């Protein structure tokens, strides 16, 4: 159980970090509040929003 939580935490932080660093490649408004909010909420937005998924993939392409 602890290993699964650790893996989920690593994936969450890794996804947020990659999105944060690639944020300039997205179509989102480049304000700090947008960057923080969209980086922290990435798992929920990725699952529920097709536009966000496209932009998330753009951000991850380095």
């Amino acid at each position: 159980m602890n290993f699964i939580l650790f893996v989920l935490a690593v994936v969450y932080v890794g996804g947020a970090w990659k999105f944060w660093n690639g944020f300039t490649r997205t179509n989102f408004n480049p304000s700090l509040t947008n960057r923080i909010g969209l980086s922290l909420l990435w798992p929920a937005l990725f699952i529920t929003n097709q536009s966000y998924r496209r932009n998330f993939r753009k951000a991850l392409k380095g």
Side-chain angles (χ1 to χ4, degrees):
M1 177 80 169
N2 288 336
F3 179 71
I4 293 170
L5 291 176
F6 175 74
V7 169
L8 288 175
V10 168
V11 169
Y12 175 78
V13 171
W17 180 258
K18 293 284 283 184
F19 184 76
W20 180 273
N21 288 326
F23 190 81
T24 56
R25 289 186 285 276
T26 67
N27 297 331
F28 297 124
N29 183 2
S31 69
L32 182 61
T33 54
N34 267 357
R35 196 173 193 168
I36 292 170
L38 294 172
S39 294
L40 292 176
L41 295 173
W42 78 264
L45 292 170
F46 189 83
I47 291 169
T48 61
N49 191 309
Q50 185 178 8
S51 174
Y52 183 85
R53 263 192 303 275
R54 277 194 303 270
N55 279 291
F56 188 81
R57 289 185 186 115
K58 282 184 192 177
L60 295 186
K61 291 181 182 177

